[in-house]
Amino acid sequence: MHLRVTLLAAGRSSSLLDVRFDDERPLDQPGWHEVRRRVPLLAHLAAAEMRYCSPSPRCRETGDLLGLAPLAQPALRDCDMGRWRGYTLQEVAAVEPHSVDQWVADPRSTAHGGESLLGFIQRIGGWLDTRPPGETGWIVAVAEPAVVRAALCYALKAPPHAYWRIEANPLSSVSLVGRAGDWSLGLEA
């Protein structure tokens, strides 16, 4: 008996246009319209027994627009980027180039004073693994793209550097099937 967890990357916010770290902006107008346009294709997600979201405004809004009425899960929050929060990579690299290089190269690095990539992946994996033992059924979680990437690294037992090789575009989804410590990627027709 296995659990299916479908992760849906939240709709677009203006933060995706300038890629700001750990940004709390809501959906922008094009993002809002794109979610509304995709409702017919994503309406089936409302059939999940449990529906969650990252606590950010854009994740909540995406879930609400899709009719999911998701419960916010603090464990699904974006990576804590410490003092880099709200800045773009270019802005940080202009001031702290060595710290940026260290952060990208070492998954244990907390050069920004926040959460390491490895710690982030483990936190998201911990959320996956704490779904009730023996639970079957279907869970949907609307999450930040970074959360989707971290969940895939954890579930597939991929090295942390694989995180940088995963694309999670707005409104893309992926399903994981399994149970605590034993997850597989589920591809659906």
Side-chain angles (χ1 to χ4, degrees):
M1 302 213 300
H2 290 100
L3 178 65
R4 179 169 53 138
V5 178
T6 299
L7 301 163
L8 175 71
R12 191 186 96 168
S13 70
S14 56
S15 64
L16 290 179
L17 301 177
D18 55 9
V19 191
R20 295 190 177 273
F21 290 117
D22 197 15
D23 198 6
E24 291 280 324
R25 289 190 256 187
L27 291 172
D28 61 11
Q29 280 296 346
W32 188 88
H33 289 296
E34 180 63 15
V35 174
R36 296 295 302 156
R37 190 180 69 75
R38 300 275 305 271
V39 166
L41 297 172
L42 299 172
H44 70 284
L45 298 176
E49 288 90 351
M50 297 296 298
R51 295 169 304 278
Y52 299 113
C53 69
S54 296
S56 70
R58 74 185 188 130
C59 290
R60 287 177 192 228
E61 290 174 358
T62 299
D64 288 342
L65 285 169
L66 292 173
L68 302 178
L71 295 168
Q73 293 284 285
L76 291 178
R77 70 189 179 284
D78 206 345
C79 188
D80 176 1
M81 295 306 292
R83 70 180 175 279
W84 294 355
R85 181 185 174 131
Y87 292 99
T88 66
L89 178 60
Q90 293 76 21
E91 290 169 341
V92 173
V95 178
E96 299 183 52
H98 177 70
S99 294
V100 169
D101 291 344
Q102 179 185 9
W103 172 67
V104 170
D106 180 2
R108 289 178 175 81
S109 173
T110 57
H112 44 60
E115 186 174 28
S116 72
L117 177 60
L118 187 58
F120 176 52
I121 292 169
Q122 290 171 340
R123 172 169 53 84
I124 300 306
W127 179 84
L128 279 171
D129 285 350
T130 56
R131 300 309 85 213
E135 184 176 348
T136 60
W138 183 23
I139 292 174
V140 169
V142 179
E144 295 295 336
V147 170
V148 175
R149 294 161 63 192
L152 283 170
C153 284
Y154 182 83
L156 298 176
K157 297 178 174 60
H161 286 93
Y163 174 89
W164 305 113
R165 308 298 250 161
I166 299 170
E167 287 284 328
N169 295 315
L171 302 177
S172 61
S173 67
V174 64
S175 288
L176 302 173
V177 180
R179 60 183 180 276
D182 186 22
W183 296 99
S184 298
L185 183 63
L187 300 176
E188 299 171 11

